[in-house]
Amino acid sequence: MKNIFINKPATLEELKDELQRTANHETGYEPEAYRIAATRRISPAEWDDLTSCFLDDREWLSNFSKKLQSSENTDWSKRNCIKVTCKGQPLNLLIDTQGYDYARYVAILEN
């Protein structure tokens, strides 16, 4: 599986704008291989909080990063992502923290 990951988008709108620019061949982003290492379902309030500022540190992303770094079964040739879902949302997010406590790389995964 491959998807386009945007580096450090501030908000969901910025993420969508960068993906649109990529579709118009205005950026250098290319689809990258990934694997879903974990899935997290969040509430609508958590979704709004996350998508209004991807750059905020979050404990659940920190826990994911720590767990992933301590795993011996990780395929480092692909982006190791957490899939984030929310009931009622028409899309899911793929987040690659790269060991940080915030959403360092984010992709959109259509439902």
Side-chain angles (χ1 to χ4, degrees):
M1 297 181 293
K2 290 189 173 188
N3 206 325
I4 295 174
F5 288 82
I6 303 301
N7 183 22
K8 297 181 186 178
T11 65
L12 182 58
E13 290 307 312
E14 184 178 312
L15 174 63
K16 289 179 178 179
D17 289 346
E18 279 298 298
L19 290 170
Q20 182 59 52
R21 289 182 61 230
T22 299
N24 294 336
H25 307 289
E26 298 172 12
T27 69
Y29 290 109
E30 297 287 335
E32 297 179 64
Y34 70 91
R35 80 173 191 89
I36 297 172
T39 300
R40 180 172 175 100
R41 186 176 189 113
I42 60 177
S43 70
E46 289 174 305
W47 178 270
D48 291 343
D49 180 59
L50 174 66
T51 59
S52 67
C53 190
F54 287 122
L55 303 176
D56 284 348
D57 288 349
R58 291 181 170 73
E59 184 177 346
W60 57 274
L61 287 173
S62 175
N63 292 339
F64 170 73
S65 292
K66 289 174 187 167
K67 182 178 178 182
L68 189 63
Q69 289 176 343
S70 66
S71 174
E72 294 179 14
N73 298 321
T74 303
D75 180 358
W76 295 106
S77 68
K78 299 177 183 174
R79 288 191 175 275
N80 291 286
C81 302
I82 184 168
K83 178 181 173 183
V84 180
T85 67
C86 179
K87 185 177 181 180
Q89 287 298 324
L91 53 93
N92 298 309
L93 299 173
L94 296 173
I95 296 176
D96 177 6
T97 62
Q98 291 279 305
Y100 292 87
D101 298 344
Y102 67 95
R104 189 168 176 88
Y105 292 88
V106 185
I108 291 178
L109 184 63
E110 302 292 332
N111 284 342

